[in-house]
Amino acid sequence: MKKNTLLAVLTVIIWASLATAAKILLKSIPDLEALAVSGFFAFLFLLGVNLVSGRLHRMKEYSPIDFMKMAGLGFIGLFLYSALYYYGIDQLSAQTACIVNYLWPIMLVVFSCLILKEKMTVLKAAALLVSFAGVVVLTAGGPGSGNGNFGLGVAACVTAAACYGLFCVLNKKADMDQNITMMVVWLTVAVCSFALGMTQENWVTIHGSQWLGLIWLGVVADAIAYLTWALALKGEGDSAVISNIAYLTPLLSVIISAVVLGERLTIHAFVAFIFIIAGIALQAVDSMRRSRA
C-alpha cells in the first residue's frame, strides 16, 4: 500500500470520532467557541511539531503574499467548513451530519477535473454517482434522531462540503510546505472563530472533561488528521482514489454514534453503507485498470 493511501486510512479512522465528540461538546459549548479553542490547540500542536522538526525556519522562504494565500486557504477551507459543519452537527443527528458532509470527496473530484485537469473516466464518474446516491439515500430518511432544523442543517453540511472540496484542490495545487501551511491555516481558524464568536455568541466557562474533548478535537481530529490528509493528497496518485477512501469515515462514524450517543442505526444508513462501498469498489477497479494500461 502506498504511503499516501496509508495516510488517508489513518485520517479516516481519526475523523470517524469527530462528529460524535463534537455533538457531545456542542450541547454545552457554543459552536464558534468550541472551534476557536480547538483551532488554537491545533495551531499550538503544529507550532511545536515545526519547532522540534526544525521546519519553522522554512517560514523565511515565504513572502507576505504566500502567508496571505495560506490564510485564505484557512478561511475558505477550514474556518467556513468547520463552522458550517459544527452548525450541521448541532442541528442534525451526528450520523446524518457526517454522511451529508461526505459530499466533499465528490466536490474534490469535480474541482480536481476543473482546476487540476485530472481525467474524468467513465468508471470514476460511475463511482462518484453511486457514492453520492448513498448520501442521498441517507438524507431521504428525514431528521432521524436529530432535534434541530433539518433543512438548515443539511444545507450547512452541503455548503461545508463544497468549501472543503475546493480547499483540498487548491491546497494540492499550491507549492507550499504542508506543516507550515496547516499551522497558519489553524491559526486563521482560531482567530476568525474568536472574532466572530465574541460578537455572535454568549461564551461559557469550559470545565474538566470539556477541555479534554477540545484538546482531542484540536490536536488529533484537527492538527494531526487534517495534516495527514493534506499530505495524502499532496503525494503521488489520483485525487479520486484517495477521496473515495474518505467515504469509509461516515460508516465508522455511524457505528461510533450508535455506541456512544445511542443514535439508532436506520435502514437508510445501512443502504447508504452499501452504496458507498460499491462506489469505492468501482473506483478501485478504475485505478487498477489505469495502472495496468
Side-chain angles (χ1 to χ4, degrees):
M1 187 179 291
K2 295 181 179 179
K3 179 181 178 181
N4 60 329
T5 303
L6 286 171
L7 289 171
V9 171
L10 173 62
T11 306
V12 162
I13 294 172
I14 296 173
W15 273 346
S17 69
L18 192 151
T20 297
K23 185 73 175 179
I24 294 171
L25 288 169
L26 295 178
K27 289 180 180 179
S28 55
I29 302 175
D31 296 3
L32 292 173
E33 180 180 4
L35 185 56
V37 175
S38 61
F40 186 64
F41 279 132
F43 163 71
L44 287 179
F45 176 81
L46 290 173
L47 176 62
V49 169
N50 288 327
L51 279 170
V52 172
S53 64
R55 287 178 175 268
L56 204 60
H57 76 277
R58 296 204 62 185
M59 293 181 69
K60 298 178 182 178
E61 301 174 10
Y62 299 111
S63 67
I65 293 178
D66 291 326
F67 286 111
M68 289 179 64
K69 290 179 180 178
M70 293 179 194
L73 285 172
F75 180 81
I76 294 172
L78 287 184
F79 169 64
L80 290 181
Y81 165 75
S82 298
L84 289 165
Y85 185 33
Y86 277 22
Y87 177 80
I89 291 173
D90 203 22
Q91 299 301 310
L92 309 171
S93 66
Q95 63 176 251
T96 300
C98 183
I99 297 182
V100 173
N101 177 62
Y102 270 75
L103 284 169
W104 74 258
I106 295 175
M107 305 290 188
L108 187 157
V109 174
V110 171
F111 285 128
S112 292
C113 292
L114 293 174
I115 299 174
L116 302 180
K117 307 303 180 184
E118 292 184 359
K119 185 178 180 181
M120 177 62 76
T121 65
V122 174
L123 275 178
K124 186 185 293 185
L128 295 175
L129 289 174
V130 171
S131 294
F132 176 76
V135 178
V136 172
V137 166
L138 189 83
T139 56
S145 58
N147 55 7
N149 189 312
F150 183 74
L152 287 179
V154 169
C157 288
V158 170
T159 307
C163 290
Y164 191 63
L166 179 59
F167 164 79
C168 288
V169 172
L170 293 177
N171 190 39
K172 182 174 183 178
K173 186 178 181 180
D175 186 21
M176 294 182 288
D177 183 279
Q178 285 303 293
N179 293 69
I180 299 297
T181 298
M182 295 308 296
M183 182 183 72
V184 175
V185 160
W186 282 112
L187 178 61
T188 303
V189 172
V191 171
C192 291
S193 300
F194 178 82
L196 185 60
M198 290 297 288
T199 61
Q200 299 296 318
E201 297 176 337
N202 294 317
W203 284 20
V204 300
T205 301
I206 299 172
H207 300 286
S209 60
Q210 293 175 331
W211 283 111
L212 295 177
L214 290 171
I215 291 172
W216 171 265
L217 286 181
V219 174
V220 181
D222 291 344
I224 294 177
Y226 282 99
L227 177 58
T228 54
W229 181 252
L231 291 172
L233 288 177
K234 201 74 175 178
E236 296 181 359
D238 196 324
S239 296
V241 177
I242 299 300
S243 67
N244 269 270
I245 294 175
Y247 279 112
L248 291 170
T249 302
L251 309 179
L252 296 176
S253 182
V254 164
I255 296 172
I256 293 173
S257 66
V259 173
V260 178
L261 301 176
E263 292 183 353
R264 184 170 56 90
L265 184 60
T266 66
I267 185 63
H268 291 84
F270 177 75
V271 174
F273 171 88
I274 301 300
F275 273 105
I276 292 170
I277 291 297
I280 295 173
L282 282 173
Q283 184 58 62
V285 170
D286 181 66
S287 178
M288 286 187 292
R289 283 187 176 183
R290 285 184 290 110
S291 64
R292 292 172 182 173

